[in-house]
């Protein structure tokens, strides 16, 4: 009897691994924090082989958006950022990933979108990373 | 007895009116087509005074995303674009508006996001506008 082949295990795109700190999993998504600490830039990766958010079945799309909304609430309520930009682009890194980015008028590339425009760089400390991971997971 | 004051009627932000052709209404959103015809760039405006997508209550967010998914399906199936970028930014125009943008490797700013990077300009003909309006509304 022929062996049935299991789907390959889900792995994050190497560019996302290189660009981000892993913060664990939310309800439906892997949660990442962009290494550039000049503003709070989170990236959520749902386990799907589809590439565009609007191609997801509505129920899964809703789960991904619930995770993104939780991160947005953390950015606004805990980090005190007044605005959150949300985007799913994927022209360079094809694996579906949702950007959830805290923005304020005093951030280093306001009002431009961050993609391609964030020239300032900074690093999160291990304490800041742990604090954000704990803060977001405690809202979940 | 004091008169109760009605909320002011919903009006589109003047910048969106200036930048776009109005294509009518979908289930929950006003549908606009960006005047720059160098790629299919649709903008959906839900009637809300909230500014960020992820602040919308989940049920309303889902309605807005259903509208966006319908436009995405039109872009892929009818206009034959392989990819759709989705974003809700609003750093310049604060009224909540959802970008649904058809992308392909041969478009004039691939792989950069369109915001701030689309330098080529073109105009839709009245026939193209009417055809897109009819095509999207017929999927609704």
């Amino acid at each position: 009897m022929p062996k049935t082949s299991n789907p390959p295990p889900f792995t994050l795109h190497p560019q996302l691994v290189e660009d981000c700190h892993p913060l664990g999993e939310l309800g439906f998504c892997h949660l990442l924090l962009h290494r550039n600490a000049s503003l709070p830039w989170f990236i959520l990766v749902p386990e799907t082989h589809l590439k565009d958010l609007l191609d997801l079945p509505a129920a899964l799309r809703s789960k991904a958006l619930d995770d993104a909304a939780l991160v947005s609430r953390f950015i606004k309520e805990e980090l005190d950022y007044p605005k959150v930009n949300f985007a799913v682009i994927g022209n360079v890194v094809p694996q579906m990933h949702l950007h959830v980015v805290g923005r304020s008028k005093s951030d280093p590339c306001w009002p431009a979108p961050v993609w391609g425009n964030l020239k300032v760089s900074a690093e999160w400390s291990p304490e800041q990373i742990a604090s954000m991971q704990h803060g977001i997971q405690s809202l979940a």
Side-chain angles (χ1 to χ4, degrees), chain A residues 7 28 39 75-76 83 90 127:
Chain A
F28 181 56
L39 41 71
I75 291 171
K76 291 193 167 186
K83 180 142 192 76
E127 294 73 22

Side-chain angles (χ1 to χ4, degrees), chain A residues 113-135:
Chain A
V114 290
W115 307 281
N117 299 310
L118 188 58
K119 308 299 184 190
V120 179
S121 194
E123 281 186 27
W124 298 109
S125 72
E127 294 73 22
Q128 287 176 309
I129 296 167
S131 167
M132 283 195 278
Q133 180 167 28
H134 177 77

Side-chain angles (χ1 to χ4, degrees), chain A residues 12 16 20 26 28-34 40-48 50-54 56 60-69 71 75 84-90 93-101 115:
Chain A
L12 288 168
L16 295 175
C20 299
L26 288 175
F28 181 56
C29 297
H30 297 263
L31 175 62
L32 306 172
L33 171 66
H34 198 288
W41 180 347
F42 296 92
I43 293 179
L44 285 76
V45 184
E47 287 203 9
T48 172
L50 295 171
K51 291 175 178 172
D52 288 342
L53 177 73
L54 298 173
L56 273 180
L60 298 182
R61 190 185 72 207
S62 185
K63 286 184 183 190
L65 271 282
D66 284 344
D67 288 349
V71 173
I75 291 171
V84 167
N85 290 173
F86 176 70
V88 190
I89 303 172
V93 174
Q95 184 175 66
M96 188 190 298
H97 57 289
L98 289 57
H99 298 272
V100 182
V101 189
W115 307 281

